[in-house]
Amino acid sequence: MKNKNEERSGNDNNKKKQMMMKKKNISRLGGSGLSLDVFANAKSRNNHYNPALIKKQREFHKNAKNVNKFKKLLKQQNQQNNPSLVQRLTENVNETEEDKDKSERKTKKNSALSLEELYWKKHEEKEKERMEREAVLKAKKKEREKSEARRKDLREKMLKKTRKGQPVMKYRIEHILETIQGSTKSAADNKS
């Protein structure tokens, strides 16, 4: 009988250990997890559980905290040093605003004339740019047409055949001579 009781108590201890291990694992993993229904609907709901939104909110709060720290530091600096960075910046901003106001008063008098002049100047500049672009395009187009005509003529000569179907060698030899002469000229130019 002792053996049966010992076996039972041994089994009970094993079950208790297993239960303890299971509880530890669950707590280590962050709880029992989501049920199947909750998991299925987790991302379909707009704001309930969306990891991307949670991450954005964390970043936003972190940035807000950093901004608040920076503002506090600036306040402390302002209290310690009278001519601090913040005051200088605000003074610079005020000065530039006053300068703008003065220049606006002057320009209001001549605004109608100056606006019309500006319009015509810009219009003329745009027209000149357009004409220059068109001239460049025309020159490129002419050059392209010339090179295409040259290539077409050369191709026709190279593909000419005699009555018996043999290639006419005259044009091919001329082409080879021209390329050799061109390469010797370029080599001579490079040496000098």
Side-chain angles (χ1 to χ4, degrees):
M1 282 202 104
K2 284 185 177 180
N3 289 341
K4 287 183 181 179
N5 287 337
E6 287 174 7
E7 286 178 18
R8 284 184 189 166
S9 63
N11 287 340
D12 290 338
N13 287 339
N14 286 340
K15 286 182 182 178
K16 286 182 182 178
K17 285 182 181 178
Q18 287 177 347
M19 290 297 288
M20 290 296 289
M21 291 298 290
K22 190 175 182 180
K23 285 183 181 179
K24 283 183 181 179
N25 284 338
I26 288 173
S27 66
R28 181 174 53 86
L29 294 172
S32 61
L34 300 174
S35 69
L36 188 60
D37 293 334
V38 173
F39 178 76
N41 295 327
K43 278 206 167 182
S44 63
R45 294 183 194 161
N46 288 340
N47 295 329
H48 183 65
Y49 177 75
N50 190 341
L53 287 175
I54 292 170
K55 187 176 180 183
K56 281 183 182 178
Q57 287 173 346
R58 281 186 191 147
E59 287 180 20
F60 178 78
H61 291 299
K62 188 177 177 183
N63 289 339
K65 190 188 281 187
N66 289 337
V67 168
N68 285 335
K69 282 183 182 178
F70 178 71
K71 285 181 179 177
K72 285 180 184 177
L73 283 173
L74 286 179
K75 277 187 179 179
Q76 287 175 356
Q77 269 188 349
N78 195 12
Q79 290 171 355
Q80 291 173 358
N81 303 330
N82 289 335
S84 70
L85 176 68
V86 176
Q87 287 178 343
R88 280 185 259 144
L89 286 174
T90 53
E91 288 173 2
N92 287 341
V93 169
N94 291 336
E95 288 175 6
T96 54
E97 287 176 359
E98 289 173 4
D99 292 341
K100 286 180 184 178
D101 291 339
K102 289 178 183 177
S103 62
E104 285 177 11
R105 287 183 209 140
K106 289 179 183 177
T107 56
K108 283 182 182 177
K109 295 175 185 175
N110 300 326
S111 63
L113 294 174
S114 62
L115 286 175
E116 190 174 349
E117 290 173 6
L118 280 173
Y119 169 77
W120 286 111
K121 284 181 183 177
K122 284 186 180 180
H123 184 71
E124 289 174 3
E125 289 174 6
K126 285 181 183 178
E127 191 67 25
K128 285 180 184 176
E129 289 175 8
R130 187 180 62 81
M131 295 294 279
E132 289 173 1
R133 271 187 264 129
E134 285 180 5
V136 169
L137 288 174
K138 283 182 182 178
K140 285 183 180 179
K141 189 175 180 182
K142 283 183 182 178
E143 190 67 34
R144 195 180 312 124
E145 288 173 355
K146 284 182 185 177
S147 62
E148 284 177 6
R150 232 182 294 123
R151 271 187 260 127
K152 188 177 179 182
D153 186 42
L154 180 66
R155 187 168 181 266
E156 284 177 8
K157 287 181 180 177
M158 295 293 269
L159 294 176
K160 273 192 175 178
K161 301 208 186 281
T162 62
R163 277 187 247 159
K164 294 182 180 179
Q166 297 296 317
V168 178
M169 296 303 291
K170 172 183 165 184
Y171 302 112
R172 294 181 180 214
I173 292 171
E174 284 178 3
H175 177 67
I176 292 170
L177 275 172
E178 288 173 3
T179 54
I180 291 171
Q181 288 172 350
S183 65
T184 56
K185 285 181 183 177
S186 63
D189 290 342
N190 288 338
K191 286 183 181 178
S192 57

